[in-house]
Amino acid sequence: MPILTTPKQRLGTATALAICLTPLPLLAQEQSAEQPQSTVQEQPAEQAQAETQEQPAEQENQAASQDQEQQEQQEQQEQQEQQEQQEQQEQQEEISAAPPIPLVPGEPTWDSFHGQLNAQKYSPLDQINADNVGELEKVWEIHTGDVSDGSGELPATVWSATPVFANDTLYVGTPFYRLLALNPATGEEKWSYDTQSSLEALTQPVLKNRGVAYWQADDPVEGEPCQKIVYMGTMDAQLFALDADSGELCEGFADNGVLNVNQWNDTNDKWPLSLLQPPTVVGDRLILGWAGMDWAYQQAPPGTVFSINARTGEREWEFQALSDEVREQSGTANVWTHMSADEELGLVYLPVSSPSPNFWGGNRTEEVPLATSTTALDIETGEVVWSRQWVHHDIWDYDINAAPTLMDITVDGEEIPALIQATKMGFLFVVNRETGEDVWPIEERPVPGGDGNVEGEVYAPTQPFPTKPAPLLDQSEKPEVWALADAVSFGECSALWEDLDYRGMYTPPTTEGAGTLGYPITAGGVQWGGVAFDPESQTAIVNTSHIVQTLKLYGREAYDSANRASGNESGFASQEGAPYGILLEVALNRFGMPCWEPPFGELVALDMTTGDVKWRRPVGASQQYGFFMPDSWGSPTIGGPAVTAGNIVFIGASMDAKVRAYSLETGDELWSDQVEAPSVSNPAVYEYEGRQYVAFVAGGNTILKEEVGDHIAVYALPE
């Protein structure tokens, strides 16, 4: 499929660099050759000679003076050009002399949402390993008090924060928008800060927080405040910058330590630009996306990404995924999850979501090539270097919802700088992270068209399909009806399956029957936890949910008269302004049992030298009415894994509110413990004073089940 590139990328990195470093005198010569010659009118030779002889002496002096002045200007220009050339050469030598920035940090690092900027979620620590992980014990735990089940005045809380270890401190944000700085060995509070944010569900059906970001100066000035800063955003679009040592606001950042990001919300201002995901910190920049309100409007704020100066809060550049025309009539295509970056290449990688409205595209029938894509930007300028669109004309809300994981892999003897992009569809796309080109072929294949009952809609004739790794789910046919769920509901599941349209992956939404079967739609495949990667064995680890959903479009009149109950990521949604509202539900029988066969979730290991599966196994246990189901059924999952040099995969994510350790080599479960609520966050792995720790936030998510919590549990080996 075509790859969007800038002219610089089409020329190639080396060629572009050569052009940038062309000596200025050479360019000056070209400019000089283009300057127009002065013109003289033709006249008889005798007349011209006479006029010349009669020219006064002072005119000759004036001409000589002009010649001297021009010569002096030319000499000054040449000196300036030589000076600029010398400066460029010095800059080039400085760049050449600078040590390369490794993709995998040389020291154990867990100072960002995915552990490191490469999003590998990998730790080189091996104190805890496959032989001793069964001895792990809980060494400290705390309850923050910042929790709501939604039964009172406050909305329910969803807590997906990855703890960040930096500055010998564990930092974490809460769904009440408080920031905690904790002793990493004991959990004792060093300081806390309350943003006093309004606890209202402005853009989400719940209160939500995914944690904090950390930055520090290359050479911190002793005694100066805010040489190390922790950032946290709020649902009402305020970004707070706090001194990492004291918890005091950084007065030099934005407006006395608080940046109002909503000041830039200037198109289709339907909601605040909610800062639920912490910024991605790259050098002295904060790369900032934001979250909005899914499924609500045809016209919505367009998906702008901002580059912010980490010290001052000043906006340096911005990126727009939509053209000006599409921005006016549509919206979103935002980046609401974390991003990854390769500092050596100077690229930041954006997982871009779908345009609005999510399930009807009659208002955006032209191509929108940067939507539902992985897009690589120049960190310095925000310009697009390359982009790959993973869903054409997205009408399924297939947001690219996880930061691509960057990795160096060996394929057929060739060392490849790669990235792997996980998706809701259960597809894993692998491309060269420098160019966006396929590592293994990605094929454009025909997909089903519409049934003619949806007004104004158009359909992409093909969609990209990866050949390796193979899809994590088999979407070629309808999933089999689960005989047990069908029997206890007296054939309810079979009847539903008969009434649902499914002609393979990308079957479009419809108004007919019970609607379209989606396997998966928004809840399945891979969620924002993303892919973990062990660089030593070149093994990727990913958890995937197997969930069937049903999607039906309702004409505006039918929608307005429907009984429109809704929940967290399910139920009715208006798509106001579009001719259709929607009903999106999980395909359950009357007793709440899934109508499709288990397993409902798996953990998968992939050999990234071949793209083949090394092992796969059900992960977690489903829970219903307080009972745990058999382990072989697995569980849907939210949150992702971490992997260590001790050949261990740590993960929470499952309905049963357990945290677990699996063998990287075999997939065997080696350890587990019960926590307060599903740990729907990525674990954090860190070392403090010579001891290795694993930290889980157990906050729950009402998409999995109603149980929520305010629990942080940290584990280590016995001393």
Side-chain angles (χ1 to χ4, degrees), residues 68 143 155 196 229 246 266 308 333 341 345 368 370 465 471 551 650 657 677 715:
Q68 184 177 358
H143 292 269
Q196 300 292 323
I229 302 177
S246 67
D266 55 9
I308 308 298
L345 293 179
V368 187
L370 298 179
F465 285 76
L551 171 64
F650 290 104
Y715 299 86

Side-chain angles (χ1 to χ4, degrees), residues 451-490:
D451 57 12
N453 292 306
V454 180
E455 173 189 339
E457 189 60 275
V458 299
Y459 303 95
T462 65
Q463 295 287 356
F465 285 76
T467 56
K468 278 195 172 186
L472 298 173
L473 310 174
D474 180 7
Q475 311 105 328
S476 60
E477 298 179 353
K478 275 185 182 179
E480 293 292 331
V481 171
W482 190 17
L484 178 61
D486 199 38
V488 300
S489 62
F490 304 101

Side-chain angles (χ1 to χ4, degrees), residues 7 180 325 380 386 427 434 457 460-461 527 567 580 589 657 680:
L180 310 178
E325 181 180 357
E380 297 291 331
W386 61 260
F427 291 161
E434 291 186 15
E457 189 60 275
Q527 288 295 319
Y580 299 96
N589 69 11
V680 293

Side-chain angles (χ1 to χ4, degrees), residues 463-537:
Q463 295 287 356
F465 285 76
T467 56
K468 278 195 172 186
L472 298 173
L473 310 174
D474 180 7
Q475 311 105 328
S476 60
E477 298 179 353
K478 275 185 182 179
E480 293 292 331
V481 171
W482 190 17
L484 178 61
D486 199 38
V488 300
S489 62
F490 304 101
E492 185 178 1
C493 292
S494 294
L496 176 61
W497 253 231
E498 287 292 325
D499 208 18
L500 287 167
D501 182 26
Y502 191 75
R503 289 167 283 138
M505 189 67 180
Y506 298 111
T507 301
T510 181
T511 59
E512 299 301 299
T516 299
L517 182 146
Y519 184 59
I521 300 184
T522 66
V526 184
Q527 288 295 319
W528 48 261
V531 178
F533 181 70
D534 170 35
E536 297 301 318
S537 64

Side-chain angles (χ1 to χ4, degrees), residues 473 520 523-527 543-547 600-602 635-638:
L473 310 174
V526 184
Q527 288 295 319
N543 53 300
T544 180
S545 296
H546 302 196
I547 298 177
F600 306 123
E602 290 184 296
S635 167
T637 56
I638 298 177

Side-chain angles (χ1 to χ4, degrees), residues 330-448:
S330 176
T332 64
N334 57 326
V335 177
W336 55 260
T337 189
H338 211 56
M339 298 164 249
S340 50
D342 186 328
E343 292 184 277
E344 179 66 18
L345 293 179
L347 298 178
V348 60
Y349 302 93
L350 276 54
V352 183
S353 71
S354 60
S356 61
N358 299 97
F359 300 104
W360 178 77
N363 65 324
R364 45 182 172 87
T365 56
E366 62 270 51
E367 291 187 5
V368 187
L370 298 179
T372 319
S373 73
T374 303
T375 296
L377 303 183
D378 185 304
I379 293 172
E380 297 291 331
T381 65
E383 294 179 353
V384 175
V385 176
W386 61 260
S387 183
R388 292 297 296 267
Q389 185 173 66
W390 304 127
V391 182
H392 310 317
H393 192 68
D394 187 352
I395 49 177
W396 301 271
D397 191 29
Y398 281 145
D399 295 347
I400 304 305
N401 60 352
T405 301
L406 314 185
M407 54 184 66
D408 294 328
I409 57 178
T410 306
V411 178
D412 296 330
E414 181 185 357
E415 300 289 331
I416 299 176
L419 68 75
I420 183 169
Q421 179 64 73
T423 68
K424 289 183 181 180
M425 300 88 75
F427 291 161
L428 301 171
F429 295 102
V430 184
V431 299
N432 184 307
R433 68 175 181 272
E434 291 186 15
T435 65
E437 297 171 339
D438 299 357
V439 171
W440 292 288
I442 298 169
E443 300 175 349
E444 288 287 331
R445 298 177 185 171
V447 293

Side-chain angles (χ1 to χ4, degrees), residues 27-252:
L27 297 180
Q29 289 172 12
E30 294 172 354
Q31 292 170 356
S32 177
E34 293 171 359
Q35 290 177 356
Q37 301 281 335
S38 60
T39 59
V40 181
Q41 292 182 350
E42 295 182 2
Q43 50 189 316
E46 296 84 355
Q47 180 180 351
Q49 183 177 4
E51 290 178 356
T52 302
Q53 292 173 351
E54 294 172 0
Q55 190 175 44
E58 56 267 22
Q59 290 183 357
E60 293 180 359
N61 294 338
Q62 183 177 3
S65 176
Q66 289 176 349
D67 290 342
Q68 184 177 358
E69 184 178 348
Q70 289 177 354
Q71 184 176 357
E72 291 175 354
Q73 289 177 350
Q74 185 175 355
E75 289 175 355
Q76 290 176 358
Q77 183 178 357
E78 289 175 354
Q79 290 176 358
Q80 182 178 356
E81 290 169 352
Q82 289 174 357
Q83 182 178 353
E84 291 176 353
Q85 180 183 4
Q86 184 177 355
E87 290 176 354
Q88 281 192 339
Q89 289 175 344
E90 291 174 355
Q91 289 175 1
Q92 183 182 6
E93 291 172 359
E94 184 178 344
I95 291 171
S96 301
I101 303 173
L103 182 69
V104 180
E107 299 294 328
T109 302
W110 216 275
D111 60 1
S112 67
F113 183 74
H114 285 310
Q116 313 88 29
L117 275 176
N118 56 31
Q120 288 185 2
K121 298 167 279 291
Y122 168 75
S123 173
L125 298 174
D126 59 4
Q127 187 180 100
I128 302 169
N129 56 55
D131 294 329
N132 61 24
V133 68
E135 302 172 23
L136 276 188
E137 61 183 18
K138 191 184 300 174
V139 293
W140 63 264
E141 62 183 326
I142 66 167
H143 292 269
T144 68
D146 293 1
V147 62
S148 169
D149 62 6
S151 62
E153 295 182 357
L154 292 178
T157 51
V158 164
W159 195 19
S160 311
T162 300
V164 164
F165 175 72
N167 193 34
D168 286 338
T169 305
L170 203 65
Y171 299 100
V172 66
T174 80
F176 286 5
Y177 308 110
R178 289 196 309 129
L179 201 159
L180 310 178
L182 307 174
N183 182 304
T186 65
E188 181 182 359
E189 185 176 293
K190 292 185 175 183
W191 56 261
S192 66
Y193 182 85
D194 189 344
T195 65
Q196 300 292 323
S197 177
S198 171
L199 300 183
E200 298 179 61
L202 300 174
T203 59
Q204 310 287 303
V206 292
L207 299 176
K208 185 181 293 186
N209 175 272
R210 291 204 177 101
V212 304
Y214 176 83
W215 168 88
Q216 71 176 40
D218 289 336
D219 298 305
V221 179
E222 188 174 352
E224 287 289 324
C226 296
Q227 300 296 288
K228 303 172 183 178
I229 302 177
V230 185
Y231 309 88
M232 188 176 73
T234 64
M235 193 175 291
D236 59 0
Q238 307 300 303
L239 182 65
F240 288 77
L242 305 172
D243 184 286
D245 290 323
S246 67
E248 299 291 328
L249 284 171
C250 293
E251 295 183 357

